Amino acid sequence: MTTSKLYFVALLIIASVLVSAQSIRIMDALSDCDFRGPCLKKEDCYDRCGVNKPPFNNAICAPNGSSRQCCCILS
């Protein structure tokens, strides 16, 4: 009984470390964003981000707090 509890605790610790590592990677990806106003879909962001014009080469509509914002991905 004690051994199964120990395995369960170890599994929870490993799972929490994996989830933390994944969320850190997501935050790193969002730090490459230049947020430029609200959007509903990525096409709304093309003009704001100057897609096909330097220095931006891509745009997404990303969650930012309680709303969605244009994320101009820096190249």
Side-chain angles (χ1 to χ4, degrees), residues 3-4 6 10 18-20 22 26-27 29-30 32 34 39-40 42-44 51 56 59 61-62 66 71:
T3 306
S4 64
L6 183 62
L18 291 175
V19 168
S20 296
Q22 183 67 21
I26 290 169
M27 292 306 290
L30 289 179
D32 293 338
D34 180 18
C39 61
L40 296 176
K42 72 177 183 177
E43 289 80 12
D44 298 338
V51 172
F56 301 111
C61 188
S66 61
C71 167

Side-chain angles (χ1 to χ4, degrees), residues 8-55:
F8 181 72
V9 169
L11 181 64
L12 284 177
I13 291 171
I14 292 170
S16 67
V17 168
L18 291 175
V19 168
S20 296
Q22 183 67 21
S23 66
I24 289 170
R25 267 195 296 192
I26 290 169
M27 292 306 290
D28 285 345
L30 289 179
S31 68
D32 293 338
C33 284
D34 180 18
F35 290 104
R36 294 193 175 185
C39 61
L40 296 176
K41 55 188 178 190
K42 72 177 183 177
E43 289 80 12
D44 298 338
C45 302
Y46 287 170
D47 288 335
R48 284 193 176 106
C49 293
V51 172
N52 298 324
K53 297 178 196 170

